[in-house]
Structures are given as C-alpha cells and as structure tokens.
Amino acid sequence: MKYVERLLPLLDQLHDVGCQRDRSGNRSLHYDQYCMLVLLFLFNPVLRSLRSLQQASTLNNVQRKLGCARASLGSLSEAVEVFEPERLRGIIESLAAEVKPVRDVRGGHLAHALTAVDGSVVKTLKTIAEAAFMNDKNGGSHSGWRLHTHFAIDRHVPTRIEVSAAANSGHNDEKNRLRAALQSDHCYVLDRWYAQFTLWNDIVAAGSSYVCRIRDNSNLNAVIEERPVSATAAAADVLRDFIVDLGAAKKPDERPAHRVRVILVKTTPHTKRGGRKGGTAGPPSDGVLRIATNLLDVPAEVIADIYRHRWTIELFFRFFKHVLGCRHLLSTHPKGIEIQAYCAIIACLLISLWTGRKPTLRSYEMICLYFAGWASLEELLDHISKLKSEET
C-alpha cells in the first residue's frame, strides 16, 4: 500500500483547487476527495454510476479510508464544473517516472521513447451525449467521446489522454491533436490515419521520429536507394527496405522535408467484411505492411518489431474500457470525462507499480478482491510473485 501512500500527498496538492468561487467557505467535497472517489469507482466493479458512488460515500469505512465526508449527488455533479482536469497531469508524470520498462523493443538501436498514438471512442447514451456523430447502415445512432491517447510502449502505461467530441475532423482530428502535443525525443508509432507528410515534418522539426504505416495504394515507384535485406530482417518477415521520394506530385511545402525510408513486411492478408450490428471488420490488407520512417540507421527488423508493438495501445483501450469500467461514464461533461480518464491512467500506473508488470485482467481482479476483503494480502503478494516468475 506504499504506492497509495505515495499518491495521497500528490492529491493533497489539489485540495484547494476550485475553492476560489466558494466565497462562503462551505465546500464539503474537494478535488482530492473527488479523485479518490473516482478511484474507488474504478477499483470496485459493483459501482457503475454517479448515484452508486454517492451511496458509497455514505459508508463509514469509505469516509474513514478516503478522508471525505458524505457527498451529495449535487456536489458530485457540480464537481466537474469547478475542478481542473489538467492539474492531474503532473501527478501522472510523477507516478509514470517510477514505472520501470516491462520490455525492450528498441534493443539499444534508438534513444527516443517509443510512444504509440491513437484515439478511441467511448460511447454513451444518445439521450445524454453531446451529439450524434454517426449513423450505421440500419439507421441506428451512435454518440460518444474520443480519447486521444499517448502510450509508452516499453512501460505499457498511458502518458497522456485528451478528450474531445467523437467526430474525427477539424480541431478534433487525431492528426491535429497529435501535432499540438508533440514532444522532443519521442518515436511516435502511428497507424495509417496519421500518414500525412506535413505531420511527419512537424514530428521531425520537434526533434522526434516516427514509424508510421502507410496505405496499401501509396505510390512507391520513385525509389532513390534500394537497401539489402539482411538474413535477420528476412527472418522477421521483412520483404524490402528502400529510400523513396514520396509526394512528388504535391507542392513543395506539402512534401516530406527529409528522407523517407519504407520497409515492407509480410503479414496476414485481410478481406474487409461486415462486422456485428452493421459495423465493419477494419480496412482490407493485401498481406504487406508498408511502414514509413525517418529512422535511416535502425535495422529493418527493429522497425518492423516497433510497429508490431503499436498493437499494445489497442490492448490498453480494451483494458481501459472493459476492465476499468470506463464504458460507464460518471459524467458526460468534457471535464468530467477527462478527470475520469486521468484517474484511470493513475489506476493503471498504480497496478503497474504494484505488480511490476503491465496491467492485466487477472491482476485487476486480484486487487479488487483484496480491496473488497475477499483476498488476503498474502494471497495478493503470492499472485504478484507468480507474475514476476512467469516474466523471468
């Protein structure tokens, strides 16, 4: 529990946030207490709504262990109007700095931090969502929020989540969101949606690198340099490795301002089929991954492995929504969703710190059973010990 004790003083810094408007001095629910209640929600599968969380706040044990009094439904609802989500980022950075890598994808060939970038939509009920953004082929309406996420591949923890309306366009386009959040010394691992030359230029200008899948119909005819494929790369299913002149037909300011390397990797062909409930099963693939990068000196097999690990962010989204319960939103206010998202990141970081491994369903279940009183501390420690022995 030392990591919970490590978290409490970090949350104490938030105690007076939002109190400026409380001129009468009668605020009973503070930001740190609200965050602890959200963490209680995330680590207790029984709780599935704001009203159930309000009822839990009336329990003596909850009040004693979380350090908060009974919270009214009105106070919980108003909280998202007065508390600032971005204040949680510093806490996330402090905890993330303590998480040790669970894998080494770079193999010493790259100094940049591997960061997978993607967005996911958390669907909410039409009656309470901000807007309907899409209709399926049966006329059914969907609505929700998009979570723009940066994910540390080596440490298997999210480092940043921003919330926007679900429509992937304009200011909320995932490319524009990434462009506004670029940092130096990162290697951004991206899917086909991010295959935009000007975005690549911005990444390089920020002092970072990228590994990005490009579309199957990309024009790769203007080859500048063909590189030999080593036996190690061939064993990793690398088919070709070459420098190519992309965007020859575009204006100079819309073309890559650096040399672009493309690596072709063999994969399983995929045919587009209709999914459940009118959805789709993803875009088709001819069995070849086309990966573009500005990393000219990193071995081709390492580039291929880096892109394969982009899938870890998809696994995180599944854990985030299905395991941590983030399909159930405590609030549909943008700030409320962002606070819940940041608290979910804190929950993931705590699991990683507790277990020394990436968050999994089994670990989450054991921690929930421990908090609920069904599992003893010895049984929880035994579970963690087995995880570490399996890792070695």
Side-chain angles (χ1 to χ4, degrees), residues 1 21 30 90 94 98 102 115 122 146 148 158 170 175 181 187 190 195 207 209 260 295 310 319 321 324 344 363 384:
M1 297 301 293
R21 58 186 288 180
H30 292 260
S94 297
E98 299 182 27
V102 297
T115 305
V122 176
R146 186 170 297 276
H148 305 273
K175 294 186 289 292
C187 177
L190 312 166
S209 56
V260 178
L295 297 171
R310 198 202 72 83
F319 180 86
K321 291 188 286 188
L324 283 180
S363 298
I384 294 174

Side-chain angles (χ1 to χ4, degrees), residues 352-371:
S352 294
L353 289 169
W354 282 329
T355 65
R357 284 168 52 101
K358 65 182 182 181
T360 65
L361 175 58
R362 298 285 84 84
S363 298
Y364 171 75
E365 289 171 344
M366 280 298 297
I367 292 171
C368 289
L369 288 170
Y370 169 70
F371 283 153

Side-chain angles (χ1 to χ4, degrees), residues 1-11 36 39 43 65-66 95 350 353-354 367 370-371:
M1 297 301 293
K2 63 181 180 180
Y3 294 107
V4 173
E5 296 172 358
R6 168 80 174 85
L7 175 63
L8 292 177
L10 296 175
L11 289 177
M36 290 301 293
L39 287 170
F43 280 113
K65 293 184 177 181
L66 300 189
L95 293 176
L350 289 175
L353 289 169
W354 282 329
I367 292 171
Y370 169 70
F371 283 153

